[in-house]
Amino acid sequence: MEEIESSTDKRIEAKISAPQAVVKGNWKELFSPFYRSRTLIVWTLWFSSYFVANGLNNWLPSLYKTVYNLPLEDSLHAASLTNVIQTVAVFACALLIDRVGRKRWATIAFLVVGLLLTTLWFNGAKSAESVMYLGSAAYGVMGTITVLLYLYTPKIYPTRMRVLGIAFATAWLRLASAIAPTILGFVLGAKGITSVFVLFACVAAVGAFMAFKMIETREKVLEDIAP
């Protein structure tokens, strides 16, 4: 028995002391056959969600002031309402996401945002109140997707390329945040306020289509998701 234990201990020590091969990630692997579709999907999700979220967040306060001529106090109240709605929506996401699933939540959230913004287009965004409530609701729901992506993206890549995957993906949110104000200003000046909501709704529709193609990571082992 002592000989068996001694032999077992030596094998364990040998395994512990043996140098482990470290596999380094390469950015090219993001476009390998196995990960290519994941990469393109998640990039689109980051871009579309932040184009709408940051576009609404940056644009709505000035819209209340310049288009609807709201007093400063009312504009600040509207901005506060937007943040409150998003906070509530994010908490709801945190409590329900494991039951609903990442893919289903993102798809439904994009569709809801698109519906809210399309409603603003149909009614012509006639009042500041309609924009305040529907726009704030859209921003709040979209905020759940932006939070979800920070949890989802690391899970679809293995450890060796996880940092690369997140870095490249989040670069698209910065691009979206940078170009959204310029595009929105151009559309507003050329086509009017309702066209802006059409643009947002179209981007949300693209996000919903790509979200439907996500892989579900709920209750799955990381090694099985990303070998």
Side-chain angles (χ1 to χ4, degrees):
M1 179 64 69
E2 293 179 356
E3 292 180 357
I4 295 176
E5 292 179 352
S6 176
S7 176
T8 302
D9 291 340
K10 288 180 180 179
R11 286 198 298 269
I12 294 175
E13 290 176 359
K15 289 183 179 180
I16 295 175
S17 61
Q20 299 293 320
V22 178
V23 180
K24 293 184 177 181
N26 189 308
W27 67 269
K28 295 180 180 179
E29 194 174 358
L30 294 173
F31 303 98
S32 63
F34 188 84
Y35 291 105
R36 184 186 303 124
S37 62
R38 298 185 183 190
T39 297
L40 296 178
I41 289 170
V42 81
W43 284 9
T44 306
L45 293 175
W46 279 95
F47 181 89
S48 56
S49 62
Y50 275 90
F51 184 95
V52 176
N54 285 350
L56 287 172
N57 188 45
N58 296 331
W59 185 64
L60 284 179
S62 62
L63 178 68
Y64 298 137
K65 182 69 176 177
T66 58
V67 176
Y68 296 102
N69 299 315
L70 288 183
L72 178 60
E73 182 179 353
D74 292 340
S75 297
L76 293 175
H77 172 72
S80 298
L81 175 64
T82 301
N83 291 322
V84 168
I85 291 177
Q86 185 180 73
T87 301
V88 173
V90 169
F91 271 112
C93 177
L95 294 173
L96 299 174
I97 189 65
D98 285 331
R99 296 183 182 180
V100 177
R102 282 70 171 158
K103 176 179 178 178
R104 183 181 299 175
W105 184 284
T107 304
I108 293 174
F110 269 118
L111 290 174
V112 170
V113 170
L115 178 62
L116 292 169
L117 296 171
T118 301
T119 302
L120 278 174
W121 171 58
F122 273 121
N123 70 19
K126 295 178 180 179
S127 67
E129 287 74 17
S130 64
V131 175
M132 185 185 305
Y133 293 115
L134 293 176
S136 296
Y139 175 71
V141 175
M142 187 60 75
T144 66
I145 301 176
T146 60
V147 171
L148 180 152
L149 288 175
Y150 276 103
L151 302 175
Y152 176 78
T153 305
K155 283 193 172 184
I156 63 173
Y157 295 114
T159 302
R160 65 181 180 277
M161 52 189 291
R162 189 163 295 145
V163 173
L164 289 171
I166 297 173
F168 275 87
T170 54
W172 286 93
L173 84 83
R174 291 169 178 80
L175 177 62
S177 302
I179 68 175
T182 302
I183 295 176
L184 296 176
F186 173 79
V187 173
L188 178 62
K191 299 293 184 179
I193 184 172
T194 55
S195 297
V196 173
F197 294 116
V198 172
L199 175 61
F200 279 139
C202 290
V203 174
V206 172
F209 176 77
M210 299 306 284
F212 185 73
K213 294 180 175 293
M214 293 168 63
I215 61 169
E216 181 54 65
T217 60
R218 180 182 59 168
E219 299 179 353
K220 291 185 178 179
V221 180
L222 289 175
E223 288 75 12
D224 295 336
I225 299 172

